[in-house]
Amino acid sequence: MLLENLLEYNRKFIEGDESPRKSALYPNKNAVVLTCMEPQLESLLREALDLQEGDVEMIKNAGAFVSNPYDSVMRSLLIAVYERRADEVFVIGHHDCWMKDFDPKATMERMGLQGVSEESIEDFSQIKDLSEWLRGYQEISDMVKTSVNTIVNHPLLPEDTPVHGLIIDPDSGKLDVIVYGF
């Protein structure tokens, strides 16, 4: 089990000669980045944007998507702005995102195969359309624009906070600006 391996490594880490690194209390570049949860993106963004550990707050989810102005992603962005001194917000999607054309039906089938009851799925669907809630976008630029729009129009975000929307190419690291926030 992965947990056992992580705990074993942690035990060796604690017993080692080096003390854990202390990170800065606030991000060095006063910014927050919302990006996709694909593992390679964090290191790619650090290289492509010359970011060091502690330079920005990094929030990751499926598709770098803010689906609701009152979800936990928006909550985290607001906390970054008010409590973590983030003066700019960057929404960074990427080409070849697995959320593009994502079909929720397969996920819903896997839920059933892994023991989620039909009743639980139906109960959820009475609150929110599960298929709609899980779905991706046809165009990554649309997902980025929607997220930027949701953030910019949030009633609790300061009006002078720039919110930028970008798409990174995971092969080259090239960034395309979709929305230049002012």
Side-chain angles (χ1 to χ4, degrees), residues 96-103 136-140 143:
D96 302 322
C97 182
W98 58 272
M99 286 299 292
K100 182 182 182 299
D101 299 321
F102 177 74
D103 180 12
Y137 265 76
Q138 299 265 325
E139 294 296 327
I140 299 304
M143 194 157 33

Side-chain angles (χ1 to χ4, degrees), residues 71-178:
D71 68 10
S72 64
V73 175
M74 191 65 222
R75 176 180 172 269
S76 295
L77 290 167
L78 289 170
I79 288 171
V81 167
Y82 287 107
E83 299 300 328
R84 308 297 296 156
R85 299 182 184 165
D87 297 328
E88 290 186 66
V89 178
F90 296 83
V91 177
I92 306 178
H94 64 98
H95 295 290
D96 302 322
C97 182
W98 58 272
M99 286 299 292
K100 182 182 182 299
D101 299 321
F102 177 74
D103 180 12
K105 289 183 178 102
T107 300
M108 293 167 66
E109 286 174 16
R110 279 193 286 284
M111 287 177 182
L113 292 173
Q114 291 186 328
V116 176
S117 70
E118 222 20 76
E119 181 183 1
S120 293
I121 291 173
E122 288 173 17
D123 287 348
F124 184 93
S125 295
Q126 288 181 11
I127 298 168
K128 193 137 184 103
D129 180 327
L130 181 57
S131 182
E132 178 70 19
W133 186 66
L134 289 171
R135 75 165 171 79
Y137 265 76
Q138 299 265 325
E139 294 296 327
I140 299 304
S141 60
D142 291 340
M143 194 157 33
V144 169
K145 288 176 191 175
T146 298
S147 293
V148 168
N149 189 49
T150 300
I151 297 164
V152 166
N153 290 304
H154 198 282
L156 301 179
L157 186 78
E159 289 182 19
D160 63 346
T161 303
V163 181
H164 311 286
L166 303 101
I167 298 177
I168 192 165
D169 182 324
D171 295 324
S172 68
K174 181 183 181 295
L175 279 171
D176 295 315
V177 177
I178 305 303

Side-chain angles (χ1 to χ4, degrees), residues 50-64:
D50 190 30
L51 298 174
Q52 305 303 310
E53 186 174 319
D55 276 352
V56 298
E57 295 287 352
M58 189 81 69
I59 299 170
K60 297 166 64 170
N61 76 354

